[in-house]
Amino acid sequence: MSALSLLLSPLARLGAAVLGLCAATGRIAIFAGQTVSHLARPPFYTREFLHALFQIGWLSLPVVGLTALFTGGALALQIYAGGARFNAEAVVPSIVAIGMVRELGPVLGGLMVAARVASSIAAEIGTMKVTEQIDALTTLSTHPMKYLTLPRVLAATLAVPVLVAVGDAIGIMGGYLVGIARLDFNSAAYLRNTVDFLEPWDVTSGLIKGAAFGFIIALMGCYYGMNSARGAQGVGRATKAAVVAASVMILAANYLLTEVFFSA
Amino acid sequence: MIELHDVHKAFGANRVLRGVNLTIPKGESMVIIGGSGTGKSIALKSILGLVKPDQGQIIVDGQDVDKADRDAFLARFGMLFQGGALFDSLPVWQNVAFRLTRGTLKRPKSEAREIAIEKLRRVGLKPDVADRFPAELSGGMQKRVGLARAIAAEPEIIFFDEPTTGLDPIMSGVINDLIREIVVEMGATAMTITHDMSSVRAIADRVAMLHDGVIKWTGPVAEMDASGDPYLDQFIHGRATGPIEAVR
């Protein structure tokens, strides 16, 4: 190998990686567009949608609730310890509430749902692909995107904001429990501080983030499932890729939405 | 009648179909044989539109499949997949009646269930199987359920992809006989792909041998043994030596 090609080889690899990333982004964008376009075209599979709503929404409630409870408690301890450095311990209730509803509720809730739901959707659809169930759907005059993708994406887009709202409330409650049990806050004062400093937009922005994260989670699960390679290894890779992609996209989307909602 | 004219399909550098020409007359049972990886499944999936050929034309009853209304076109077909391809999340009767519970062929639920049970009975399964899930059934029972699903909407054309793969010889014989009976009874056009010679003799009116992406020989099943075609002879007698290269 010549010196020049040795010198250029890392650049070529970098270029190939960038091109690969652009191509994957394009494919995901087309997949998302096709999914949304099916919303306007009948038939709509209500039973599949309700089933997905139950699987994604109801069954994710324990994991989201527990995550929020412990996060709220830890947040109260951290803010109290940090606030004590400049005699600002009293801000604990308001910072816990704002931190939960604006950031930690949607992001941690989204990441927990991504781990639980994106993996399960990718594994289920990936297995359907390798066992020819998706081909079978087509031969039975049923569009796989209408039957599998749209109900899941719609259900996740609607269910995750509700999970975020429940998670917000439980997280604030976690902070409250730690506040009165460990940090000697007065119960009524803690609650008053929480409510007084919380604005409607704090809550609404978190719910909008939740809807965006729900869309991303189900879309990644469906995309990687539908494009799963053959065999157990192929399904395993699709599952892993779905969780990684959904998690990274949630964090990136969170930054972008925070810029849009709160930049001065 | 199904006609394939000069159908080509490649996956990257792998040219699977290299100009397939084949005619399946209406009401006949055509069996396509050939080694693993010779493109039998791709040919079948090309007809259904599950795979888009790179070149060539596929015509079903005088109509180019590319120009046909997709739903109406697929409503004429039934297909038995190699592994059954039953939907794990649905009970057996809903698998069988899948087409009858949604879309243009939708029937009331009770009627769809009745038809499903009747079709299950036709393939030798008792009505109590209807409420079980596919994972609770043996391989042979899953094939029968797949067969019941393929015939549930009384299709004009039925495809069978490796119908006896993974079954013991006795169950293979049962499935072969069922396929033959059902195809004759319904007067359907059938296309089967297999490398099981007992299936070929039980199911076929005509046989086509696919090798290297082209049809090497086609003719009535009765003429298969005396064809004189070296590819067909090697295949049906299972010889390791001959024009078909066997990797050892």
Side-chain angles (χ1 to χ4, degrees):
Chain A
M1 192 183 280
S2 73
L4 183 66
S5 55
L6 262 177
L7 196 71
L8 292 178
S9 160
L11 286 176
R13 278 202 291 272
L14 180 66
V18 171
L19 284 176
L21 184 67
C22 291
T25 308
R27 282 194 294 271
I28 290 170
I30 290 169
F31 189 81
Q34 285 172 340
T35 301
V36 173
S37 75
H38 280 292
L39 253 181
R41 287 179 282 164
F44 179 74
Y45 295 104
T46 311
R47 203 168 53 176
E48 297 305 310
F49 167 71
L50 294 175
H51 179 71
L53 207 56
F54 176 76
Q55 290 285 333
I56 297 167
W58 183 250
L59 296 183
S60 297
L61 212 49
V63 71
V64 171
L66 283 172
T67 305
L69 183 72
F70 292 123
T71 304
L75 195 59
L77 288 174
Q78 287 283 18
I79 293 164
Y80 185 83
R85 293 176 192 170
F86 34 90
N87 296 322
E89 295 93 332
V91 298
V92 169
S94 47
I95 300 291
V96 166
I98 291 171
M100 280 309 300
V101 300
R102 277 191 181 190
E103 281 296 321
L104 294 175
V107 173
L108 291 183
L111 290 175
M112 295 311 286
V113 178
R116 191 187 163 272
V117 171
S119 56
S120 129
I121 292 177
E124 186 185 359
I125 296 182
T127 305
M128 288 184 77
K129 171 128 191 266
V130 301
T131 55
E132 294 186 303
Q133 291 179 51
I134 297 201
D135 282 346
L137 273 179
T138 307
T139 62
L140 292 164
S141 308
T142 302
H143 199 298
M145 287 198 84
K146 266 191 201 310
Y147 187 75
L148 297 173
T149 307
L150 181 63
R152 284 166 174 76
V153 170
L154 191 61
T157 308
L158 297 174
V160 175
V162 177
L163 287 170
V164 166
V166 174
D168 288 349
I170 294 176
I172 290 169
M173 193 185 74
Y176 164 80
L177 291 175
V178 170
I180 58 165
R182 295 269 295 107
L183 307 175
D184 295 328
F185 273 86
N186 172 277
S187 171
Y190 191 104
L191 289 176
R192 195 171 50 247
N193 267 357
T194 299
V195 175
D196 285 352
F197 285 94
L198 206 57
E199 292 177 8
W201 178 237
D202 294 329
V203 179
T204 313
S205 65
L207 300 185
I208 294 171
K209 282 182 178 182
F213 299 164
F215 180 81
I216 288 168
I217 291 163
L219 192 77
M220 290 300 98
C222 293
Y223 174 78
Y224 283 100
M226 288 280 193
N227 290 288
S228 168
R230 284 186 182 184
Q233 241 187 350
V235 177
R237 269 200 297 269
T239 307
K240 183 176 68 183
V243 176
V244 171
S247 304
V248 171
M249 284 178 74
I250 283 173
L251 295 172
N254 179 56
Y255 172 73
L256 286 175
L257 290 171
T258 306
E259 274 281 1
V260 171
F261 293 156
F262 299 108
S263 64
Chain B
M1 186 159 79
I2 302 170
E3 298 161 81
L4 282 79
H5 297 293
D6 195 29
V7 173
H8 290 249
K9 180 68 191 176
F11 295 95
N14 181 18
R15 293 171 61 208
V16 181
L17 303 181
R18 303 176 181 209
V20 171
N21 290 290
L22 184 67
T23 300
I24 305 168
K26 200 176 179 73
E28 285 210 354
S29 175
M30 168 71 82
V31 175
I32 300 179
I33 56 173
S36 299
T38 49
K40 303 185 301 291
S41 290
I42 298 300
L44 186 146
K45 287 181 177 179
S46 297
I47 299 171
L48 286 167
L50 297 173
V51 168
K52 193 165 173 53
D54 300 327
Q55 188 188 318
Q57 199 179 26
I58 299 170
I59 294 170
V60 174
D61 290 339
Q63 190 177 27
D64 191 324
V65 298
D66 276 345
K67 293 166 189 154
D69 172 70
R70 193 94 185 104
D71 280 351
F73 172 75
L74 287 170
R76 302 174 61 195
F77 285 85
M79 173 144 178
L80 171 60
F81 285 85
Q82 187 173 346
L86 302 176
F87 305 124
D88 307 318
S89 57
L90 300 178
V92 163
W93 83 263
Q94 285 186 28
N95 265 280
V96 175
F98 192 89
R99 193 170 242 160
L100 307 174
T101 51
R102 46 184 60 76
T104 49
L105 299 175
K106 187 171 178 173
R107 316 270 176 92
K109 194 175 172 182
S110 56
E111 189 186 336
R113 186 181 161 90
E114 249 173 59
I115 294 171
I117 288 172
E118 182 214 317
K119 297 299 176 190
L120 286 170
R121 199 174 281 124
R122 178 64 196 90
V123 298
L125 293 172
K126 289 178 183 161
D128 65 333
V129 170
D131 292 314
R132 286 160 72 177
F133 281 84
E136 299 170 55
L137 307 179
S138 67
M141 287 167 95
Q142 287 189 14
K143 287 273 184 190
R144 288 179 195 236
V145 174
L147 186 54
R149 182 173 72 181
I151 62 171
E154 309 274 343
E156 299 162 46
I157 303 162
I158 313 177
F159 286 174
F160 303 97
D161 184 1
E162 307 275 8
T164 57
T165 297
L167 301 180
D168 65 68
I170 296 168
M171 186 53 70
S172 296
V174 170
I175 295 289
N176 286 336
D177 290 348
L178 266 175
I179 289 173
R180 185 66 199 173
E181 282 168 29
I182 285 167
V183 167
V184 170
E185 190 177 290
M186 293 173 65
T189 306
M191 180 172 160
T192 306
I193 57 175
T194 186
H195 24 54
D196 176 354
M197 290 313 297
S198 63
S199 289
V200 178
R201 294 179 200 285
I203 296 170
D205 291 322
R206 297 178 69 81
V207 178
M209 165 85 188
L210 184 65
H211 181 71
D212 267 349
V214 292
I215 299 292
K216 291 285 187 192
W217 183 87
T218 183
V221 66
E223 292 173 15
M224 182 175 69
D225 291 308
S227 70
D229 182 89
Y231 290 90
L232 185 64
D233 276 350
Q234 184 187 352
F235 189 86
I236 60 178
H237 294 110
R239 291 191 202 108
T241 54
I244 302 172
E245 204 178 315
V247 181
R248 285 168 183 268

